[in-house]
Amino acid sequence: MGKLWLICIASISILLPFLCNAFSPETPTDRRVLVLLDDFAIMSSHSLYFNALKSRGFDLEFKLADDPKIALQRYGQYLYDALILFCPSVERFGGSIDVAAIVNFVDSGHDLIVAADVNASDLIREVGTECGVDFDEDPSAMVIDHIGYAVSGTEGDHTLIASDDFIKSDVILGGKKIEAPILFRGIGHAVSPANSLVLKVLSASPSAYSANPKSKLSTPPPLTGSAISLVSIVQARNNARLLITGSLSMFSNRFFRSGVQKARSQTKHEKSGNEQFLTEISKWIFHERGHLKAVNVKHHRVGETDEPALYRINDELEYAVEIYEWSGTSWEPYVANDVQLQFYMMSPYVLKTLSSDKKGLYSTSFKVPDVYGVFQFKVEHQKLGYTSLSLSKQIPVRPYRHNEYERFIPAAYPYYGAAFSMMAGFFIFSFAHLYSK
Amino acid sequence: MPTNLNFEMARSLVGFTVLLLFLSICESASFFQPISDSHRSAAVELFSPDHGSFKSLEETYEALRTFDVLGIEKKPDVTATACRLVSETVGSSSSTLKDLFYALKANSIVKCKINDKAYQGIITRLNAAVDGASSLPDFYYSVGGLLLVKGSKGDVHLADADGIFRSVKAFRQSDGRWRFSSNSPESSAFAAGIALETLAGVVSLASPELDQSLISTLNSDISKLFDSIEKYDDGALYFDDKLVDGHDHQGPLATTSSVVRGLTVFAAVTDERLNIPSNKILGLANFFLGIGVPGDAKDLFNQIDSLACLESNRVSIPLILSLPSTVLSVTKEDSLQVNVNTVLGSNAPPLTVKLVGVFTSGSKAASLVESQELVFDDGTGMYNLNNLPKSIDVGSYTFVFEIVLHEPEHEKIYVTGGQKKVPIFASGLIKIENAEIAVLDSDLGSIETQKKLDLAGQNAVSLSANHLQKLRVSFKLTTPHGLAFKPHQALLKLRHESKVEHIFVVGNSGKQFEMVLNFLGLVEKFFYLSGRYDIELAVGDAVMENSLLRAIGHIELDLPEPPEKATRPPPQPVDPYSRYGPKAEITHIFRAPEKRPPKELSLAFLGLTFLPLLGFLIGLLRLGVNLKNFPSNTVPATFATLFHVSIGAVLSLYVLFWLKLDLFQTLKLLGFLGVILVLVGHRVLSHLAATSAKLKSA
């Protein structure tokens, strides 16, 4: 019995830190990350990337993709906050994981990094399709660029690409400009134009195309030019974040350490931009950046402080909301000048940009429209790279009461005057009529 | 015990194959580069001590050994902390055998000062450990420890070397693998390496010397062990223990490293020459080099330590042929450079590198060049072929090299691996000529408009065509040697205003590249979209130095109206920057207030409304109105006054109703006042009626 007690205490004390560090709305950064590998040797060959993650406090758990014991959830609880798939050649996941399980994992707001590679398995392609990108269907196709390749003494087939066509977003790629091009070797993918959630973070140059470098090109390549995405991200509607790339080697120590010189360019960079690029983007993926929360939504009539149950038409009102951004360790004030408020009933009656005090407080004031009905205060903030904020609060607006209209209108003075002169006349007439002789 | 030597994880063979394939994709060429500066910088990065000291003595030794082999200047504080750790371990009698072993190993590199008394203590301890040892690791640590003490102190001997040799040998299995202890059923190549190292230690410590016949029995065991060697497609050889569920399972790198260490140490102590084919040694060297730069400290140590063992072994020393650049420009007349080094990058003995042949990739034709020798350049230490052979045009080739050692006895010491195939890309500037674009009439094929193109510069052609016409683009590519060149990428792109793109592969007919677009057949593919199409031409190849992507100009297409059921063009991606961003502000337009007359007008009319009252009053005065009929008696006079006060009160009530009272308050008061008014009025009126009747009758 005593032994059982000890085991209980021990298991609680082991589990406790995990339970405490778990993902929560208050601290949205991921903590527990499952890394699925084709081979444990990737731990060694890609250690710089993993170490960068570990040094930021992530708890990486490495498993073989075909390990029969892996599972994403147990007893309905997810065991991990994020999943990294560095297993381009896996044909079948072990354990209870399959494509549907991964989709459910993302649907419940968890993050995912997928790296495919040349000869990526159908399974990984399917995961890509579920994420909204289509990898080149030819299994031996690679992205080739005869103009934007990386100069190398030993690489002659121009499949090692130096790309620097980044998305212009500080929140995704960090404030520091990435100077050196990114080394990429792998397969390209296309982003479906109908899908507005997928963004190309790193695009190929206009001269690139996707084909098998060893065979002759007889039909037009399915992917060409800037339409080829090398690295794409998805921010789902539930703010789950995904990274999809067609190159596993771009995460490798070799590419991290390698120098890079783009063809036809004289500048030789000591180090490729891969480390900076992938580290910065992983900060975004794991919600260390660009994750917003809105608190303290307040509205009241001008001059009052309490929130009324309803407004009357033509009331002057003030609206304020505080917005903070998660910095990985704390909530920092979010500074922007394009947060907008809508006063909405079927369509916006008022749409106004909120003014910011640079400390996270956004406020504005406006006059309630002279239309009564059930309105909503709506803040729909969607910005490239940030989680979308969607606040709405219902508020009825009533018309004037009968006694709230204007009294003693000057235009009516003649009518008043007529009535009172009549009454005065009647009073005098009553004397004249009764007592005159 | 094996757990002590354990790695954190088991590696599956299949997985490792994938890694090697992956690495070979990374390396792209199937030849191996010797150890370079990237290993040195990786070593400094990986073996970075926390607060000046490493986690364990084992790691300290691994760091020191790696730095030593790579020739990295040791930081003084690393040496100092290592020495402190060593003397602590050596001085304490409670340290484990393993720690003692690694302390002595680290000491053999940093050469700390250990006093004689400590040495004596260690020797007694180790001797006792040898006598009491029952498993292979126990023997390994104790014998290894004694050997290290002998290295720095001298005069250490094993009394019963023969007996120890036999008891270690008892762990041997028939297939050349060894067991860790007599009660573990599994045998492994990893243990074989440790056993060989231990036995070599026993041989060196033996006094008097061991019987050579005892040693030579091991020769056949080593041969058997090498029968189980595994092979990759690129010629790399390695050992792997196929223990699927064993938690003490080592990866191929650690296993191979252990075997290489045991083998080379054993080869150094035996007089006999080991019967191992030299190509296998080269295969092992290729395995270690093929890993590239490991990202793990343990892997790096295993790689570097094994290569250091191979660098100076007594079996055969591998020589590695490598090329600094495999992309050579025909136009710039790059010279072919070849390096021959040992695995750690030091110079090779005098030798000649021969270019045996050059073959076009993917074809089985005969060699393009005669066999020739490369010239050795003393300055760079490289073997050069200053001008590429005339028969080498742009393209991808396989060059075959052979190393010939100058001195015949070197043949026994070194292994070169016979002929070496290296893929080489010969690149060059491609001449583009006769570039033309033309619009043709469909039925006759007659040229309507034709424009010359300068693909090296800018073009801005503007053409127009209808669906009955054709577009022809043609150009000619020639290599520096005047032959026709077929690039991998020859694409023509037409982009409509609405960003719908159409891509065509430009085919070649003999020497000329030509493509004819018959718009009649393409109308449907073009989604019946008339308008301006931008034309872009991309010509590129891996060996073409002037690959190009040019906007040629545009063509104005006049296509027929789409029929009812024509397919619509696919949606085009929306610019992500425009999708977000603030919307235009909306302000509510309030209902305009009703129009009112000016206040003055209202006041004027207010004045007018009092005019009739004024007229009425004047009229009354003119008529001579008087109050003579007002009752004179007190009682009727009181009632008359009350009557008029009541009328006044009712009228005031109306004013109050207008100002503030509501209907109910007013009615309540009015009812009260009404009753008084009626009663009082009745009395007044009846009094007045009586008075007037009295007057009439009178």
Side-chain angles (χ1 to χ4, degrees):
Chain A
M1 196 62 212
K3 209 173 180 182
L4 202 70
W5 179 237
L6 262 179
I7 289 170
C8 261
I9 296 220
S11 56
I12 286 169
S13 58
I14 288 167
L15 280 175
L16 206 60
F18 293 100
L19 296 172
C20 294
N21 285 337
F23 184 96
S24 75
E26 268 311 297
T27 53
T29 302
D30 296 334
R31 284 287 157 237
R32 299 161 303 168
V33 183
L34 175 66
V35 186
L36 292 186
L37 307 170
D38 272 335
D39 184 324
F40 282 126
I42 292 173
M43 276 174 75
S44 164
S45 61
H46 292 54
S47 62
L48 290 179
Y49 183 68
F50 293 132
N51 288 341
L53 292 183
K54 279 181 196 158
S55 67
R56 298 214 308 271
F58 294 105
D59 181 21
L60 302 187
E61 192 171 332
F62 296 93
K63 290 275 170 67
L64 285 179
D66 51 6
D67 186 337
K69 291 195 196 89
I70 50 174
L72 286 174
Q73 55 177 338
R74 188 179 297 149
Y75 309 128
Q77 292 279 317
Y78 278 105
L79 300 169
Y80 308 98
D81 303 319
L83 177 64
I84 297 180
L85 294 180
F86 278 3
C87 46
S89 62
V90 67
E91 294 291 345
R92 252 191 80 154
F93 290 115
S96 59
I97 299 183
D98 54 9
V99 174
I102 291 173
V103 171
N104 283 335
F105 183 70
V106 172
D107 281 348
S108 51
H110 297 90
D111 305 319
L112 176 67
I113 294 179
V114 185
D117 217 322
V118 188
N119 296 321
S121 67
D122 288 344
L123 182 66
I124 291 297
R125 285 165 192 275
E126 207 182 318
V127 172
T129 311
E130 291 289 345
C131 298
V133 306
D134 295 312
F135 287 109
D136 192 341
E137 282 170 19
D138 182 354
S140 48
M142 294 176 90
V143 184
I144 308 171
D145 194 336
H146 294 306
I147 294 175
Y149 62 94
V151 177
S152 154
T154 49
E155 315 264 358
D157 55 0
H158 299 176
T159 54
L160 182 65
I161 292 169
S163 175
D164 48 10
D165 189 1
F166 304 113
I167 193 168
K168 290 175 197 68
S169 166
D170 280 358
V171 65
I172 296 172
L173 296 179
K176 196 163 160 260
K177 190 174 179 291
I178 300 171
E179 300 284 348
I182 306 299
L183 287 175
F184 180 95
R185 177 203 292 281
I187 53 176
H189 60 261
V191 168
S192 160
N195 189 337
S196 63
L197 301 174
V198 191
L199 296 170
K200 283 191 281 187
V201 183
L202 185 67
S203 316
S205 80
S207 55
Y209 63 110
S210 173
N212 181 354
K214 297 220 165 61
S215 70
K216 202 172 160 287
L217 200 62
S218 53
T219 51
L223 298 172
T224 57
S226 322
I228 303 179
S229 176
L230 305 178
V231 180
S232 295
I233 54 167
V234 182
Q235 177 164 275
R237 289 193 175 84
N238 61 1
N239 292 335
R241 288 174 173 175
L242 287 76
L243 173 81
I244 304 125
T245 173
S247 169
L248 178 57
S249 43
M250 74 184 295
F251 295 88
S252 69
N253 295 355
R254 205 176 91 88
F255 280 22
F256 272 32
R257 287 201 187 107
S258 167
V260 58
Q261 182 186 1
K262 201 170 176 171
R264 297 177 195 194
S265 153
Q266 293 307 313
T267 39
K268 189 161 170 44
H269 299 272
E270 279 294 301
K271 218 172 143 218
S272 71
N274 287 42
E275 182 163 15
Q276 190 190 351
F277 173 71
L278 291 169
T279 307
E280 289 299 329
I281 208 164
S282 76
K283 286 183 186 166
W284 183 84
I285 291 287
F286 293 141
H287 294 264
E288 283 171 68
R289 223 179 8 229
H291 191 103
L292 302 179
K293 76 163 179 183
V295 288
N296 290 340
V297 180
K298 279 184 199 152
H299 59 90
H300 53 78
R301 290 197 187 94
V302 172
E304 294 175 13
T305 48
D306 292 340
E307 185 176 303
L310 78 174
Y311 286 100
R312 195 192 64 193
I313 58 171
N314 293 347
D315 270 355
E316 289 284 342
L317 69 83
E318 279 175 354
Y319 180 92
V321 59
E322 286 172 43
I323 304 179
Y324 295 97
E325 185 185 352
W326 180 248
S327 72
T329 48
S330 60
W331 289 101
E332 302 290 337
Y334 171 63
V335 180
N337 53 9
D338 53 359
V339 184
Q340 292 183 319
L341 171 73
Q342 297 178 30
F343 199 60
Y344 189 94
M345 181 170 70
M346 308 234 264
S347 66
Y349 277 69
V350 174
L351 196 155
K352 220 173 166 193
T353 305
L354 298 171
S355 55
S356 159
D357 70 345
K358 309 280 175 204
K359 284 172 192 154
L361 181 72
Y362 289 81
S363 60
T364 191
S365 65
F366 62 92
K367 193 173 177 184
V368 177
D370 54 358
V371 178
Y372 57 85
V374 179
F375 278 85
Q376 278 178 311
F377 287 111
K378 263 192 178 183
V379 175
E380 299 263 329
H381 187 55
Q382 283 181 330
K383 203 171 172 187
L384 188 68
Y386 286 94
T387 53
S388 57
L389 278 183
S390 180
L391 309 172
S392 72
K393 195 162 191 185
Q394 198 162 298
I395 190 90
V397 171
R398 64 167 175 81
Y400 283 121
R401 273 203 289 269
H402 73 96
N403 58 356
E404 282 173 338
Y405 290 101
E406 197 182 355
R407 289 292 304 268
F408 313 119
I409 305 165
Y413 285 181
Y415 303 96
Y416 302 148
F420 289 120
S421 76
M422 180 68 199
M423 280 154 70
F426 169 73
F427 190 66
I428 292 162
F429 177 74
S430 66
F431 283 96
H433 176 69
L434 290 180
Y435 310 119
S436 185
K437 201 188 249 179
Chain B
M1 194 60 227
T3 46
N4 287 349
L5 302 160
N6 199 3
F7 261 6
E8 308 93 89
M9 85 282 319
R11 289 179 182 169
S12 75
L13 174 67
V14 180
F16 206 80
T17 319
V18 171
L19 168 78
L20 253 277
L21 282 176
F22 162 72
L23 285 172
S24 63
I25 291 166
C26 281
E27 298 291 339
S28 147
S30 69
F31 62 90
F32 305 97
Q33 302 273 4
I35 295 300
S36 61
D37 282 337
S38 57
H39 279 85
R40 291 191 179 90
S41 53
V44 173
E45 212 170 289
L46 290 173
F47 288 108
S48 54
D50 285 349
H51 310 293
S53 72
F54 292 99
K55 263 176 256 149
S56 64
L57 268 168
E58 188 176 352
E59 206 188 317
T60 312
Y61 161 67
E62 283 170 0
L64 291 169
R65 170 74 176 157
T66 311
F67 289 165
D68 196 42
V69 171
L70 292 175
I72 297 167
E73 195 81 7
K74 281 185 284 286
K75 287 176 216 143
D77 58 327
V78 172
T79 321
T81 27
C83 263
R84 191 171 45 74
L85 210 60
V86 165
S87 47
E88 265 172 32
T89 318
V90 166
S92 124
S93 58
S94 59
S95 52
T96 62
L97 202 55
K98 186 187 172 194
D99 278 346
L100 192 62
F101 171 69
Y102 282 111
L104 289 168
K105 274 202 139 180
N107 181 44
S108 68
I109 296 166
V110 290
K111 306 266 188 294
C112 310
K113 285 188 191 113
I114 300 175
N115 58 28
D116 284 358
K117 205 179 140 210
Y119 268 129
Q120 284 310 321
I122 299 164
I123 292 169
T124 6
R125 244 192 100 186
L126 290 174
N127 268 318
V130 172
D131 292 338
S134 61
S135 70
L136 188 54
D138 289 353
F139 279 114
Y140 175 65
Y141 292 135
S142 50
V143 171
L146 282 173
L147 191 64
L148 287 162
V149 173
K150 186 186 176 186
S152 51
K153 194 79 176 59
D155 67 298
V156 179
H157 303 290
L158 276 179
D160 181 23
D162 210 51
I164 295 164
F165 196 94
R166 280 173 212 283
S167 44
V168 173
K169 224 181 146 205
F171 298 123
R172 186 180 62 95
Q173 298 288 295
S174 56
D175 61 349
R177 291 165 190 264
W178 295 60
R179 290 180 297 167
F180 277 108
S181 65
S182 47
N183 47 16
S184 91
E186 303 279 13
S187 62
S188 71
F190 186 81
I194 289 181
L196 285 175
E197 212 180 330
T198 314
L199 291 177
V202 175
V203 172
S204 345
L205 287 168
S207 150
E209 277 193 28
L210 278 179
D211 186 6
Q212 275 301 324
S213 63
L214 201 60
I215 303 168
S216 58
T217 51
L218 281 174
N219 248 341
S220 61
D221 290 337
I222 294 171
S223 306
K224 272 186 207 156
L225 184 64
F226 270 77
D227 288 343
S228 67
I229 203 162
E230 304 195 39
K231 190 174 184 205
Y232 285 129
D233 290 343
D234 57 3
L237 300 174
Y238 66 101
F239 291 94
D240 193 21
D241 292 328
K242 287 199 186 81
L243 302 178
V244 181
D245 54 341
H247 66 284
D248 55 341
H249 174 62
Q250 310 287 320
L253 182 56
T255 310
T256 316
S257 175
S258 164
V259 172
V260 165
R261 220 172 288 142
L263 178 77
T264 49
V265 173
F266 186 74
V269 297
T270 170
D271 297 340
E272 226 174 310
R273 197 177 159 74
L274 291 175
N275 185 22
I276 299 166
S278 52
N279 273 337
K280 294 210 167 165
I281 301 291
L282 189 67
L284 290 171
N286 284 345
F287 170 75
F288 290 116
L289 293 175
I291 288 165
V293 184
D296 180 66
K298 186 96 188 169
D299 287 352
L300 182 70
F301 162 74
N302 277 329
Q303 182 194 30
I304 299 295
D305 188 40
S306 311
L307 288 174
C309 289
L310 289 174
E311 172 93 355
S312 57
N313 73 78
R314 276 191 57 194
V315 186
S316 46
I317 299 171
L319 292 178
I320 304 295
L321 180 142
S322 63
L323 280 79
S325 170
T326 58
V327 183
L328 304 172
S329 171
V330 177
T331 319
K332 289 185 207 141
E333 296 184 341
D334 284 348
S335 60
L336 178 71
Q337 290 182 316
V338 177
N339 244 329
V340 179
N341 294 110
T342 60
V343 284
L344 290 182
S346 35
N347 289 337
L351 51 81
T352 307
V353 178
K354 275 167 91 178
L355 176 63
V356 181
V358 175
F359 304 92
T360 312
S361 296
S363 85
K364 285 179 181 148
S367 170
L368 296 168
V369 296
E370 300 274 302
S371 171
Q372 54 188 303
E373 284 187 6
L374 272 65
V375 187
F376 183 68
D377 180 1
D378 277 325
T380 55
M382 299 218 197
Y383 297 84
N384 293 343
L385 184 67
N386 278 329
N387 292 316
L388 280 176
K390 282 279 168 276
S391 52
I392 304 288
D393 204 346
V394 294
S396 62
Y397 298 94
T398 307
F399 280 45
V400 182
F401 297 98
E402 194 174 32
I403 300 173
V404 182
L405 291 162
H406 285 177
E407 295 180 32
E409 62 263 31
H410 279 167
E411 299 273 356
K412 282 182 187 154
I413 304 171
Y414 294 99
V415 52
T416 57
Q419 294 198 337
K420 188 100 183 152
K421 289 179 183 170
V422 180
I424 299 271
F425 288 94
S427 66
L429 286 171
I430 304 293
K431 220 194 288 173
I432 307 164
E433 296 164 309
N434 301 347
E436 273 179 5
I437 187 161
V439 175
L440 311 176
D441 277 329
S442 182
D443 39 353
L444 300 167
S446 60
I447 295 168
E448 192 175 288
T449 41
Q450 184 167 15
K451 299 266 169 74
K452 285 266 175 210
L453 293 174
D454 172 25
L455 288 179
Q458 297 297 320
N459 297 282
V461 177
S462 110
L463 298 167
S464 64
N466 61 29
H467 67 283
L468 297 173
Q469 290 176 312
K470 293 174 180 174
L471 179 75
R472 187 180 72 190
V473 179
S474 59
F475 53 90
K476 190 181 166 190
L477 300 174
T478 42
T479 64
H481 288 216
L483 299 171
F485 179 71
K486 294 174 190 169
H488 190 249
Q489 178 192 25
L491 303 173
L492 185 76
K493 197 182 269 190
L494 292 183
R495 189 187 297 117
H496 186 248
E497 291 156 307
S498 63
K499 289 189 178 159
V500 179
E501 283 185 346
H502 304 282
I503 297 160
F504 303 93
V505 176
V506 185
N508 67 322
S509 54
K511 287 189 167 182
Q512 186 88 0
F513 272 84
E514 189 178 80
M515 107 152 290
V516 177
L517 294 181
N518 187 352
F519 291 122
L520 193 58
L522 290 169
V523 167
E524 203 152 317
K525 198 184 164 194
F526 279 28
F527 306 109
Y528 298 90
L529 285 172
S530 299
R532 182 185 155 126
Y533 283 83
D534 288 323
I535 310 171
E536 229 172 50
L537 182 68
V539 180
D541 195 274
V543 295
M544 181 170 169
E545 282 172 17
N546 51 340
S547 298
L548 55 91
L549 170 75
R550 287 273 179 279
I552 297 175
H554 70 268
I555 181 165
E556 203 74 46
L557 273 187
D558 182 19
L559 300 180
E561 285 297 308
E564 285 280 304
K565 283 175 185 166
T567 46
R568 304 191 59 81
Q572 292 304 307
V574 196
D575 177 30
Y577 306 112
S578 66
R579 203 187 297 151
Y580 299 101
K583 292 177 199 148
E585 290 204 353
I586 298 170
T587 42
H588 182 71
I589 300 166
F590 287 84
R591 202 183 304 140
E594 278 168 42
K595 270 194 169 175
R596 285 178 187 172
K599 205 169 175 182
E600 291 75 27
L601 196 67
S602 305
L603 289 173
F605 274 91
L606 175 64
L608 279 181
T609 56
F610 284 100
L611 279 182
L613 178 66
L614 203 65
F616 175 63
L617 288 176
I618 292 169
L620 284 181
L621 290 175
R622 292 292 282 288
L623 285 171
V625 174
N626 50 43
L627 294 177
K628 284 176 183 162
N629 258 352
F630 197 77
S632 46
N633 291 340
T634 321
V635 175
T638 314
F639 277 114
T641 313
L642 277 176
F643 176 59
H644 288 285
V645 168
S646 300
I647 288 175
V650 168
L651 292 176
S652 313
L653 182 67
Y654 289 163
V655 174
L656 283 174
F657 175 58
W658 177 63
L659 283 173
K660 58 194 276 192
L661 295 181
D662 63 29
L663 193 60
F664 297 99
Q665 292 167 314
T666 313
L667 283 178
K668 214 158 60 188
L669 288 170
L670 193 62
F672 178 66
L673 285 174
V675 170
I676 296 171
L677 195 60
V678 167
L679 288 174
V680 181
H682 181 256
R683 293 294 292 271
V684 170
L685 288 177
S686 56
H687 171 74
L688 285 179
T691 319
S692 95
K694 234 188 262 176
L695 272 177
K696 271 185 188 160
S697 62

